Amino acid sequence: METATHAASELIDARIADLNDWRGQTLARVRKLIKQADPEVVEEWKWRGVPVWSHAGIICTGEVYKKAVKTTFAKGASLEDPAGLFNSSLGGNTRRAIDFREGEEIDEGAFKALILEAAAFNETGS
């Protein structure tokens, strides 16, 4: 597992470096916040190039698009979001996402709280 995690982390590093624009900076920032919030998080690389952060199951993914860096929370519909961070994929029964666009600030405290809540949900199922 350590080797797979190390390889995934290197692939995420390379992805950030390859982007070389605001999207890379945003993905790097999101990644840093996730790791600060949950030091036990495991980095994975799935579905042909999507960074994934897990703790007792998938917490969220880090998809990169032309106009957004999207963090999709696997069980987002089950999480409280008092700061209203979820702004995408709101119609589904399971997932919720946050689209970060160029120039937008990240509410670091609220984002970290969401990461911790997602990890706790994965551990307990509620």
Side-chain angles (χ1 to χ4, degrees):
M1 185 68 161
E2 183 67 33
T3 303
T5 299
H6 182 71
S9 293
E10 287 181 351
L11 289 167
I12 296 168
D13 289 341
R15 175 65 185 221
I16 289 167
D18 286 347
L19 288 167
N20 198 27
D21 63 9
W22 70 269
R23 297 171 304 160
Q25 294 168 3
T26 301
L27 184 59
R29 186 78 186 128
V30 164
R31 178 192 201 190
K32 181 178 178 182
L33 293 171
I34 291 168
K35 291 168 93 174
Q36 285 175 347
D38 184 358
E40 295 179 19
V41 75
V42 174
E43 292 189 314
E44 300 175 281
W45 187 258
K46 296 186 178 214
W47 309 297
R48 299 181 190 189
V50 177
V52 176
W53 292 276
S54 297
H55 181 140
I58 294 174
I59 293 174
C60 66
T61 62
E63 306 142 68
V64 179
Y65 299 99
K66 186 175 182 177
K67 295 190 177 197
V69 173
K70 178 186 288 287
T71 55
T72 301
F73 285 72
K75 307 242 172 65
S78 299
L79 305 177
E80 296 293 324
D81 180 23
L85 295 181
F86 291 133
N87 61 10
S88 183
S89 304
L90 301 175
N93 292 330
T94 307
R95 292 184 295 276
R96 293 286 183 272
I98 304 167
D99 285 354
F100 298 103
R101 294 178 181 81
E102 187 172 9
E104 289 182 344
E105 292 293 318
I106 297 174
D107 183 336
E108 295 182 5
F111 186 74
K112 286 180 180 182
L114 207 52
I115 295 297
L116 288 174
E117 185 183 354
F121 185 88
N122 284 351
E123 286 185 335
T124 64
S126 60

